[in-house]
């Protein structure tokens, strides 16, 4: 695999770790890993990239970063990422027997990578999909110290955001950067001599802040809601609302169609008589309980038969708005 320029990536795995005293407990409770690189060795080709592990830097004195000054070890975050590879853990490294069978790693790229990689977003952070670890190994980096290297390859059904298909989806669904409340962009850098600015010359706090605009629901999504006859009244009321942002639209949709048992977005939603929502697995668990447990909707006490069919139309809508939420 040929690589091009160096990058910094941020990785989110479906496994993470909590700081627990016993090493075995630390490994067993691994649920989420967040690794943020920045080494001169990191390179990116979009669908596949090479990533350098963490450690090897002296961060005493509350330093956020520093040059590499000692070898990295296969522990903590480095070990967690290696465990995502479909291979035995080895201090010498390993290559996946079948890279597609590895545990998924969620990859997020930030705009600071833009000067090094054409696959980075222009602004903010962007979720780029599921990747799998192809192999990991130890080698001497450009600094002369040993580093752990990981080759990750994209394994996601959704088109990559930088492709024509991904750009089309972004435009169609109205996705844009979500700014925090009261966000003020930093002033542009001025080349040349540094000058002290008077308070009168400082820009107003909201002068360059992005203007708020109402979120527009796409025509494609509106057509999908028409197909969901089971929730026609719910959709009619929902579409009357106005949403200041994409985030508020998604939050409201998630609240409207959350499972009445697990309170998460309904996965493989069932058609309940009461028009509330329930995951397929939650419904099955409820109905498998003994006769001493009432088979009713937790929200309205309506009886549940346990044979309710899947709402395929609603499932299509939820996967359209939240791609891959059921994985």
């Amino acid at each position: 695999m040929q690589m091009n320029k160096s990058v910094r990536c941020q990785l989110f795995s479906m496994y993470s770790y909590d700081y627990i005293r016993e090493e075995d407990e630390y490994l067993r409770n691994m649920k989420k890993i967040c690794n943020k690189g920045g080494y001169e060795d990191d390179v990116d080709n979009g669908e596949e990239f090479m990533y350098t592990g963490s450690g090897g830097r002296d961060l005493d004195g509350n330093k956020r970063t520093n040059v590499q000054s000692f070898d990295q070890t296969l522990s903590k975050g480095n070990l967690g990422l290696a465990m995502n590879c479909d291979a035995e853990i080895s201090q010498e490294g390993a290559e996946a027997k079948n890279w597609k069978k590895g545990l998924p790693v969620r990859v997020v790229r930030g705009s600071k990578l833009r000067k090094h990689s054409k696959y980075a977003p222009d602004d903010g952070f962007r979720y780029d999909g599921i990747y799998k670890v192809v192999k990991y190994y130890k080698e001497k980096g450009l600094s002369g110290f040993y580093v752990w290297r990981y080759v990750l390859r994209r394994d996601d059904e959704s088109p990559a955001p930088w492709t024509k298909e991904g750009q089309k989806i972004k435009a169609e669904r109205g996705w844009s950067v979500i700014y925090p409340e009261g966000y003020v962009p930093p002033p542009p850098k001025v080349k040349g001599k540094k000058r002290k600015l008077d308070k009168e010359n400082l820009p107003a706090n909201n002068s360059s802040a992005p203007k708020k605009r109402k979120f527009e629901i796409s025509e494609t999504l509106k057509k999908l809601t028409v197909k969901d006859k089971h929730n026609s009244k719910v959709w009619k009321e929902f579409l009357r609302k106005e949403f200041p942002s994409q985030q508020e639209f998604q939050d409201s949709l998630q609240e409207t169609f959350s499972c009445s048992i697990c309170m998460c977005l309904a996965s493989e939603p069932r058609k309940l008589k009461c028009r509330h929502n329930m995951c397929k697995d939650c419904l099955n668990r409820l109905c498998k309980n003994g006769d001493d447990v009432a088979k009713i909707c937790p929200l309205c006490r309506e009886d549940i038969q346990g044979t309710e069919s899947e709402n395929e139309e609603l499932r299509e809508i939820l996967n359209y708005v939240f791609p891959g939420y059921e994985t």
Side-chain angles (χ1 to χ4, degrees):
M1 178 185 67
Q2 293 182 348
M3 291 289 179
N4 48 31
K5 299 180 181 178
S6 68
V7 299
R8 288 173 292 174
C9 275
Q10 195 171 23
L11 301 178
F12 294 89
S13 169
M14 297 179 73
Y15 283 76
S16 75
Y17 56 85
D18 298 316
Y19 291 99
I20 301 174
R21 291 183 181 180
E22 296 295 332
E23 184 70 12
D24 289 343
E25 281 296 306
Y26 168 89
L27 295 175
R28 282 199 295 270
N29 287 279
M30 192 172 292
K31 298 177 182 177
K32 187 177 182 181
I33 296 171
C34 178
N35 291 324
K36 188 173 183 180
Y39 287 84
E40 62 270 32
D41 307 64
D42 295 348
V43 289
D44 185 13
N45 273 337
E47 291 289 334
E48 185 170 289
F49 66 90
M50 194 175 291
Y51 175 78
T52 303
S54 59
R57 296 177 173 183
D58 182 8
L59 300 181
D60 289 343
N62 202 27
K63 295 176 183 177
R64 298 186 64 181
T65 187
N66 202 351
V67 296
Q68 189 174 2
S69 55
F70 54 93
D71 295 338
Q72 292 184 358
T73 60
L74 191 63
S75 61
K76 297 186 178 179
N78 293 342
L79 177 59
L81 192 54
M83 291 173 69
N84 284 37
C85 184
D86 181 36
E88 296 293 333
I89 296 298
S90 171
Q91 291 294 329
E92 301 302 320
E95 185 166 356
K97 300 173 185 176
N98 184 343
W99 69 272
K100 282 182 172 289
K101 289 186 177 181
L103 298 175
V105 178
R106 300 188 183 275
V107 173
V108 173
R109 285 181 173 90
S111 58
K112 288 186 178 180
L113 317 181
R114 194 65 187 173
K115 58 184 178 181
H116 299 302
S117 172
K118 64 181 180 181
Y119 302 101
D122 294 324
D123 195 11
F125 289 87
R126 183 192 64 207
Y127 173 63
D128 283 353
I130 297 293
Y131 284 69
K132 303 287 180 64
V133 179
V134 178
K135 63 179 178 179
Y136 66 97
Y137 56 94
K138 182 173 67 173
E139 70 173 11
K140 278 194 176 182
L142 299 180
S143 60
F145 296 94
Y146 280 105
V147 294
W148 280 98
R149 309 291 296 276
Y150 303 84
V151 176
L152 291 99
R153 188 175 297 157
R154 198 169 190 272
D155 186 26
D156 201 306
E157 295 180 357
S158 302
W162 56 82
T163 62
K164 290 183 179 179
E165 294 83 0
Q167 292 294 323
K168 182 180 179 181
I169 292 174
K170 174 186 174 183
E172 186 181 74
R173 302 185 185 182
W175 290 342
S176 60
V177 177
I178 300 174
Y179 294 95
E181 189 69 28
Y183 169 77
V184 178
K189 294 181 180 180
V190 180
K191 294 183 179 180
K193 296 181 179 180
K194 295 181 180 179
R195 296 182 302 171
K196 291 184 178 180
L197 296 177
D198 298 329
K199 290 184 178 180
E200 298 178 358
N201 295 329
L202 290 173
N205 286 340
N206 59 352
S207 61
S208 56
K211 295 181 180 179
K212 290 186 177 180
R213 60 179 182 178
K214 186 177 70 172
F215 176 76
E216 297 290 343
I217 299 175
S218 69
E219 291 301 319
T220 303
L221 179 56
K222 289 179 181 178
K223 290 178 181 179
L224 290 175
T225 61
V226 174
K227 297 180 182 179
D228 186 11
K229 303 297 184 182
H230 183 73
N231 292 308
S232 57
K233 291 184 179 179
V234 178
W235 283 117
K236 189 175 182 179
E237 183 178 342
F238 184 85
L239 294 175
R240 286 176 182 168
K241 300 178 183 178
E242 290 189 355
F243 304 99
S245 67
Q246 173 192 344
Q247 186 64 52
E248 293 189 37
F249 161 73
Q250 290 180 325
D251 289 345
S252 181
L253 187 66
Q254 185 167 351
E255 182 180 356
T256 302
F257 295 102
S258 61
C259 172
S260 56
I261 291 182
C262 67
M263 304 309 292
C264 295
L265 198 61
S267 177
E268 299 183 69
R270 305 287 104 175
K271 291 182 178 179
L272 301 185
K273 184 179 178 181
C274 61
R275 297 299 191 275
H276 288 124
N277 304 283
M278 192 172 293
C279 302
K280 174 186 176 181
D281 291 343
C282 291
L283 177 63
N284 290 341
R285 282 193 293 269
L286 175 65
C287 294
K288 283 181 181 179
N289 289 325
D291 296 334
D292 57 327
V293 178
K295 308 302 186 294
I296 57 176
C297 172
L299 298 180
C300 65
R301 319 298 288 178
E302 180 79 28
D303 289 339
I304 291 176
Q305 302 301 318
T307 58
E308 286 77 4
S309 61
E310 179 184 325
N311 189 336
E312 296 178 357
E313 295 78 16
L314 176 59
R315 187 180 183 186
E316 183 180 2
I317 293 169
L318 297 181
N319 274 289
Y320 177 86
V321 179
F322 305 98
Y325 84 97
E326 292 182 314
T327 58

